C-alpha cells in the first residue's frame, strides 16, 4: 500500500512540475508579447500595441493560474497527502482550485470587454457568458462552502488537524 502511495505522490509531483513548466512558459511568452508591444522601433498603431498588451495580461493570468494549480497540487496532494473524504479537506482543496478558476475567468472577461468593446462589439455576448460563468461558479462555490459548514461541525478534529498541517507547510 505504501508503494502505491509513493507512486501516486511521484505522479502528483510530476503533474505539479508540468503546471510550473507551463506557467513559466506562459510568462516567457508574455514577456515576448510585452516586448513586441513596447518596442519603440516597430511601426505599430496604438490599437495594435493595446491588443498585444491585453494578450500579455491574458497570458500572465493563465500563467498565474497554472502556477497556483501546481502549488495547490503540490501542497494538498504531496505535502499534506490529502484524503478528500474529509469535508474540511475537500472544502479547502476545492476552494483553492475554484479561487484560481474564478479569478482567471473574471480577468479574462475583463480583457475580452476591453478588447472587443471598440473592435468587435458583436462578440461581447460571448465575453459576457464568460463573466456569467465566473459569477455562477462563485455563487455555487459560496453555496458549497455554506452547506459544508454543518458537515465540518461533525468532525472538529479534522479542522484542528488541517490547521496543524497549515503551520507545518508554511514553515
Amino acid at each position: 500500500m505504501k508503494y502505491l502511495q509513493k507512486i501516486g505522490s511521484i505522479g502528483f509531483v510530476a503533474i505539479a512540475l508540468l503546471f510550473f513548466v507551463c506557467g513559466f512558459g506562459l510568462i516567457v511568452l508574455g514577456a515576448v508579447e510585452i516586448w513586441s508591444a513596447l518596442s519603440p522601433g516597430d511601426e505599430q498603431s496604438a490599437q495594435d500595441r493595446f491588443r498585444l498588451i491585453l494578450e500579455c495580461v491574458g497570458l500572465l493570468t493563465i500563467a498565474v493560474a497554472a502556477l497556483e494549480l501546481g502549488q495547490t497540487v503540490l501542497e494538498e496532494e504531496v505535502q499534506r497527502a490529502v484524503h478528500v473524504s474529509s469535508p474540511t479537506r475537500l472544502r479547502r482543496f476545492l476552494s483553492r482550485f475554484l479561487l484560481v478558476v474564478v479569478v482567471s475567468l473574471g480577468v479574462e472577461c475583463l480583457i475580452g470587454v476591453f478588447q472587443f468593446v471598440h473592435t468587435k462589439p458583436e462578440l461581447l455576448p460571448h465575453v459576457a457568458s464568460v463573466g456569467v460563468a465566473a459569477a455562477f461558479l462563485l455563487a455555487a462555490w459560496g453555496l458549497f462552502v455554506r452547506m459544508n459548514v454543518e458537515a465540518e461541525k461533525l468532525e472538529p478534529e479534522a479542522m484542528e488537524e488541517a490547521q496543524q498541517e497549515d503551520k507545518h507547510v508554511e514553515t
Side-chain angles (χ1 to χ4, degrees), residues 6-24:
K6 192 169 193 166
I7 289 175
S9 292
I10 292 170
F12 284 120
V13 169
I15 291 170
L17 183 63
L18 287 174
F19 272 125
F20 291 138
V21 168
C22 290
F24 288 121

Side-chain angles (χ1 to χ4, degrees), residues 88 146 148-156:
T88 301
R146 176 73 179 125
N148 202 11
V149 168
E150 293 301 318
E152 285 181 4
K153 289 179 182 176
L154 296 176
E155 51 180 32

Side-chain angles (χ1 to χ4, degrees), residues 33-34 37-38 48-58:
E33 284 285 323
I34 199 71
L38 298 178
D48 290 338
R49 291 177 191 271
F50 180 71
R51 185 184 52 78
L52 287 172
I53 290 171
L54 282 178
E55 287 178 12
C56 177
V57 171

Side-chain angles (χ1 to χ4, degrees), residues 50 53-55 57-58 61 101-118 123-124 126-132 134:
F50 180 71
I53 290 171
L54 282 178
E55 287 178 12
V57 171
T61 300
V101 172
V102 168
V103 169
S104 297
L105 285 175
V107 171
E108 285 299 319
C109 179
L110 187 62
I111 289 170
V113 168
F114 286 141
Q115 191 171 18
F116 297 130
V117 73
H118 297 294
L123 293 178
L124 286 176
H126 300 290
V127 173
S129 66
V130 173
V132 168

Side-chain angles (χ1 to χ4, degrees), residues 19-30 56-70 100 104 108:
F19 272 125
F20 291 138
V21 168
C22 290
F24 288 121
L26 288 168
I27 290 171
V28 169
L29 289 176
C56 177
V57 171
L59 286 171
L60 293 177
T61 300
I62 297 168
V64 168
L67 293 172
E68 279 292 322
L69 288 174
V100 171
S104 297
E108 285 299 319

Side-chain angles (χ1 to χ4, degrees), residues 87 90-92 94-96 98 138-152:
L90 179 64
R91 181 189 54 79
R92 292 164 53 97
L94 282 177
S95 291
R96 287 186 70 175
L98 285 175
L138 184 61
W141 174 30
L143 182 64
F144 171 76
V145 169
R146 176 73 179 125
M147 294 174 70
N148 202 11
V149 168
E150 293 301 318
E152 285 181 4

